Amino acid sequence: MNLILFGPPGAGKGTQADIIVGTRGWPKLSTGDMLRASAAAQTGVGRKVRKVIERGELVPDDVVVGIISSRIDAPDCRAGFVFDGFPRTVPQAEALDRMLEKKGLTVDGVIEIRVEDHALIFRIEKRAAESDEVRADDNLETLKNRLAVYREQTAPLLPYYEKQGKLFSVNGMVDIEGVAAQISDILDGLEGAQKTA
Ligand code: AMP
């Protein structure tokens, strides 16, 4: 099952992807995690990536698509994978569709976690307060930019996947278990449909 978890920063994509890893065994592919690892390296590329993340902007599409392309060829991705934070632009989604088609694969489902703006700000501030390692982009100023970038560049992916008949939405305003249960129902449905196909 090749899945995309979709939603604004702070929606809980990473948390829900971790739950899916535990319950279904598909690996989580988080471009944010991969890029933070690259930013931690003291290389020229690492320094550039770090600056982009700190501003709350997006890393260029070709960089992100390149990282994903090699990652999905790994043996642990054979039964499927869960994207967290990818794709984030229409060109990334188009590149992903082309890449998967070449490999005889497809995106099976896109699950949007819907959360209201005021809750996103509260959650990110909470994450920054509770985490040992504070993310450089978990502050109010960068968050506002990340939300603006989400609305302008990432939200247009919703009609992209809706047209493909792959979009599902869950209510992200309930607790973690409540969101996980809604996602699990969708995944059961998708797996059932795959078995009967
Ligand atoms: P995240 O952990 O998903 O919130 O991502 C943190 C930051 O990494 C984002 O604000 C972007 O700067 C960068 N990033 C993560 N995924 C992508 C992507 N698919 N395309 C471009 N930039 C990304």
Side-chain angles (χ1 to χ4, degrees):
M1 178 75 58
N2 304 326
L3 198 71
I4 296 173
L5 282 186
F6 194 88
K13 300 185 293 294
T15 303
Q16 295 300 328
D18 287 338
I19 293 174
I20 295 172
V21 173
T23 54
R24 313 258 167 178
W26 311 319
K28 158 173 129 173
L29 306 190
S30 157
T31 42
D33 286 349
M34 295 174 200
L35 291 167
R36 276 186 288 279
S38 145
Q42 294 300 326
T43 59
V45 175
R47 273 188 283 274
K48 273 189 202 149
V49 167
R50 189 165 66 230
K51 280 191 187 137
V52 174
I53 292 178
E54 281 174 4
R55 286 197 298 264
E57 288 165 8
L58 294 184
V59 172
D61 290 336
D62 55 341
V63 174
V64 181
V65 169
I67 297 178
I68 285 296
S69 172
S70 45
R71 180 64 185 88
I72 60 178
D73 287 332
D76 65 328
C77 289
R78 239 171 256 154
F81 40 82
V82 184
F83 285 128
D84 159 18
F86 177 84
R88 255 176 159 98
T89 64
V90 171
Q92 287 181 19
E94 289 168 345
L96 175 65
D97 279 346
R98 283 194 299 272
M99 186 194 307
L100 291 179
E101 199 184 346
K102 273 191 210 145
K103 299 175 199 285
L105 300 171
T106 185
V107 170
D108 297 302
V110 179
I111 301 182
E112 176 201 11
I113 305 176
R114 284 202 181 158
V115 178
E116 291 162 21
D117 279 6
H118 65 88
L120 298 174
I121 292 168
F122 174 78
R123 286 183 191 186
I124 295 232
E125 284 181 333
K126 190 163 168 270
R127 177 163 77 190
E130 287 174 356
S131 166
D132 294 337
E133 230 176 272
V134 178
R135 280 175 49 164
D137 57 349
D138 271 355
N139 59 72
L140 197 54
E141 202 182 320
T142 308
L143 175 63
K144 282 186 186 152
N145 199 27
R146 288 162 67 201
L147 283 174
V149 167
Y150 172 79
R151 282 193 207 98
E152 281 161 26
Q153 301 191 53
T154 307
L157 285 174
L158 292 169
Y160 179 89
Y161 285 115
E162 196 166 25
K163 263 186 225 139
Q164 295 189 3
K166 292 178 177 169
L167 184 65
F168 301 85
S169 293
V170 298
N171 174 12
M173 294 298 288
V174 296
D175 62 10
I176 291 174
E177 291 75 24
V179 179
Q182 296 173 69
I183 293 177
S184 183
D185 284 347
I186 293 168
L187 296 181
D188 288 345
L190 285 171
E191 285 202 304
Q194 267 189 347
K195 276 185 199 135
T196 52

